Amino acid sequence: METTPNPPKNPSASNTHAVENDEDEWDKRIRRTGCFEENERVLICHADTGDWRKCLREMTAFKQCMQQHGQL
């Protein structure tokens, strides 16, 4: 007879905890710059278009953010 593990009582809470623990180094570094949202917009634009040239507005906003936060 096989036993199955008990599911977590609040699955969304355990998923949130797992995501926080699994955040990669890139995301951690970008969060520390203060420009995480701008970076996300660049990544989403590229994912949607498949062409960095179509994301110039997003890349410019990210660059300006990084400059304002003393990262460039």
Side-chain angles (χ1 to χ4, degrees):
M1 174 196 303
E2 288 185 39
T3 61
T4 57
N6 293 333
K9 293 189 184 338
N10 185 352
S12 63
S14 68
N15 289 342
T16 301
H17 182 67
V19 169
E20 289 172 0
N21 288 337
D22 291 342
E23 186 174 54
D24 65 18
E25 284 301 313
W26 174 259
D27 286 340
K28 289 178 186 176
R29 290 178 187 173
I30 292 295
R31 282 192 191 280
R32 287 192 296 261
T33 68
C35 300
F36 184 80
E37 290 180 18
E38 290 81 355
N39 181 65
E40 286 292 300
R41 288 185 197 113
V42 171
L43 297 175
I44 290 168
C45 177
H46 182 256
D48 288 347
T49 65
D51 186 348
W52 288 112
R53 295 170 293 180
K54 294 181 180 177
C55 303
L56 294 178
R57 184 175 358 130
E58 291 82 358
M59 290 189 321
T60 299
F62 178 60
K63 180 180 178 182
Q64 288 174 343
C65 181
M66 293 291 280
Q67 288 172 334
Q68 289 172 354
H69 286 86
Q71 300 296 318
L72 290 179

